[in-house]
Amino acid sequence: MDDRETKDHMFQEKQHQRSPAPTPQYGVQTAIGKRLKAYYDDVASEPVPDRFLSLLDALDAAESASKNADRK
């Protein structure tokens, strides 16, 4: 190798060492994010089952009764 080829080779090696590690494609991450958000939005928009609402009402009543008993 002549002097010029040696310098070019050294320059290329330095540039290769400085380049950041390959990153995942942002297009794939964006597509996954959009699908997850759509799935979450679907689940979040579903109505709360009646049995959960009755359990929450029972919990509220128990807390109110507990607070009233503590005040007396």
Side-chain angles (χ1 to χ4, degrees):
M1 240 191 270
D2 65 50
D3 190 43
R4 182 176 180 182
E5 289 176 345
T6 303
K7 288 180 182 178
D8 286 344
H9 182 70
M10 289 173 55
F11 177 77
Q12 289 175 357
E13 283 185 6
K14 285 182 183 180
Q15 290 299 320
H16 179 69
Q17 291 172 353
R18 290 182 191 168
S19 63
T23 57
Q25 295 177 348
Y26 291 111
V28 173
Q29 290 179 347
T30 301
I32 292 172
K34 285 181 180 180
R35 287 190 181 198
L36 285 172
K37 184 178 182 328
Y39 180 73
Y40 175 80
D41 289 343
D42 287 344
V43 171
S45 67
E46 291 180 5
V48 177
D50 291 337
R51 66 177 189 211
F52 289 163
L53 293 174
S54 64
L55 286 171
L56 289 171
D57 288 340
L59 180 62
D60 286 341
E63 285 181 345
S64 294
S66 175
K67 286 180 183 178
N68 287 340
D70 288 342
R71 288 183 184 167
K72 291 182 178 181

